[in-house]
Amino acid sequence: MKGVVLNAGSAKALTISLTVGAVGGTLFQLSGLPLAWMLGPLIANLVVSSQGVKVEVPEPLRNVFLAVMGLVLGSQVTPQLAHRVLDWPVSAALLLLGVAVSTAVAAAWYRRCGFDPVSAWFGASPGAMTAMILLGEKCGGDPQRIAVAQSLRIILVILFLPPLFWAYEGGGEGIGPVHSSFEHGWMLLMIPLLLPLGRWLRIPSPALLAPLLVAALLSGVDIASLALPEWGMNLMLWVLGSAIGSRFQGMTRKLFGRYLWQSGVATLLALLVLALFAELIHQLLGVGRDVALLALAPGGIGEMAILAVALNIDPVFVAFHHLLRMVTLMIIAPFWARWLLRHATS
């Protein structure tokens, strides 16, 4: 695959990242902590990168494992799923309303922290991170502030939700779906074709969504469904967790601490607002509280898909709502950007 070849510096950074991630995953597993092989590598890489150690998981490698996640997620679609789709318009409407309210609340907090209006709004937007950074910069916002706010929001949501669900479920291991052996492993051979196809079709988050859609089609008509054994799931989570944790390379501890405080409060406010809307979905539709909260949680679609599959929390329902949120934000954001730009210059 194009772009997979590493130079000496990148190879060393990758080796350190995966080694540190393996140590973190092992310590988390020995401690009995939830989602050990995702959160352990994530936190370990976050810690060493903040100390100035160069760690990196190259984008092409990350995309391969994200594609594996897409295949696993799409394989959760079953022919029996159709009867549940009728409930989704109500939850979708509540999702979009919740996104609007939570974004406004988080943006108000960022304004109190000294963010300019453009950076506050695009930093608070819960999803479509790359588009939000580019549009925010185009409108005169601070791209570093927006990027850090977006990245920290995703990491904080990932760190906060698994222990919450773990405690709620009574401390179960919580990784799933777990199988004793590979099933339909030949689907992995489609990845070298699906990655460029997704980019060519300009699908949002192509590394995740192109494999997801193909797997959903194959599984939905009962042709094939990819299943990974526990070690395969852990291998995937190890690489993806290391990739997420290595995002903050080069940031000073003082600056990171300030951003962490600001983003922590903003993320907590957004989660509290969205938890109220998740409770409405639970009460109106009978959807489990954990399912509704994960479907509305202000994380990235890739990261939330990872959590949904790893925690075995209705991944199809969760992925649908995060995809809807991401697409809606990408449609609305350019119009919102023009309004902010016009308002700032008037």
Side-chain angles (χ1 to χ4, degrees):
M1 266 177 290
K2 183 180 178 181
V4 173
V5 178
L6 303 177
N7 58 39
S10 294
K12 181 180 178 182
L14 172 62
T15 301
I16 295 173
S17 178
L18 294 181
T19 302
V20 167
V23 173
T26 301
L27 290 175
F28 264 57
Q29 188 169 48
L30 292 175
S31 303
L33 293 170
L35 208 54
W37 282 99
M38 181 180 177
L39 297 184
L42 191 161
I43 292 175
N45 273 271
L46 187 63
V47 169
V48 299
S49 65
S50 69
Q51 300 297 316
V53 178
K54 184 170 176 55
V55 289
E56 178 189 16
V57 175
E59 194 71 12
L61 180 61
R62 174 185 175 273
N63 285 342
V64 168
F65 281 88
L66 204 55
V68 176
M69 173 60 68
L71 291 175
V72 172
L73 180 57
S75 295
Q76 306 305 302
V77 174
T78 64
Q80 295 76 34
L81 185 68
H83 73 279
R84 297 181 51 228
V85 176
L86 296 177
D87 287 339
W88 291 4
V90 176
S91 58
L94 289 171
L95 161 74
L96 297 178
L97 183 58
V99 165
V101 176
S102 65
T103 302
V105 170
W109 162 254
Y110 280 134
R111 290 287 288 141
R112 286 181 61 88
C113 294
F115 280 45
D116 62 89
V118 173
S119 299
W121 277 101
F122 283 94
S125 175
M129 180 171 70
T130 302
M132 297 303 106
I133 296 169
L134 294 175
L135 281 171
E137 183 178 14
K138 186 178 179 181
C139 294
D142 184 336
Q144 185 189 50
R145 275 187 161 179
I146 298 171
V148 172
Q150 289 280 347
S151 298
L152 278 174
R153 169 182 51 80
I154 291 171
I155 286 180
L156 288 167
V157 169
I158 293 172
L159 292 176
F160 178 73
L161 289 182
L164 179 65
F165 292 143
W166 183 67
Y168 179 73
E169 296 291 339
E173 180 62 26
I175 182 169
V178 174
H179 301 265
S180 59
S181 61
F182 275 114
E183 295 176 16
H184 298 110
W186 60 265
M187 294 174 68
L188 296 172
L189 299 176
M190 298 189 297
I191 290 176
L193 299 175
L194 293 174
L195 290 176
L197 178 63
R199 290 191 294 268
W200 182 68
L201 293 174
R202 298 185 181 276
I203 298 172
S205 298
L208 175 73
L209 293 182
L212 187 158
L213 293 172
V214 171
L217 176 63
L218 293 174
S219 183
V221 297
D222 209 17
I223 293 176
S225 299
L226 176 66
L228 297 181
E230 183 174 356
W231 67 263
M233 287 290 295
N234 286 336
L235 173 63
M236 178 176 62
L237 296 174
W238 168 41
V239 176
L240 292 173
S242 298
I244 296 169
S246 62
R247 284 181 176 178
F248 294 92
Q249 188 68 52
M251 185 178 294
T252 64
R253 277 180 287 178
K254 182 178 179 181
L255 186 60
F256 178 76
R258 184 167 81 244
Y259 282 146
L260 182 63
W261 157 250
Q262 295 171 352
S263 297
V265 173
T267 301
L268 180 60
L269 290 171
L271 275 171
L272 289 173
V273 170
L274 290 166
L276 295 176
F277 284 89
E279 181 64 22
L280 283 175
I281 291 175
H282 169 69
Q283 295 293 339
L284 292 174
L285 302 178
V287 174
R289 285 189 175 93
D290 53 351
V291 177
L293 181 57
L294 190 54
L296 269 63
I301 182 172
E303 291 78 11
M304 294 302 98
I306 293 169
L307 285 186
V309 171
L311 295 171
N312 205 18
I313 299 179
D314 204 347
V316 177
F317 183 89
V318 172
F320 166 79
H321 287 77
H322 282 281
L323 177 59
L324 172 66
R325 183 191 62 190
M326 182 177 68
V327 171
T328 302
L329 283 171
M330 292 181 71
I331 292 172
I332 292 175
F335 298 99
W336 184 241
R338 285 179 204 153
W339 186 89
L340 285 174
L341 197 57
R342 189 165 55 246
H343 184 73
T345 56
S346 61

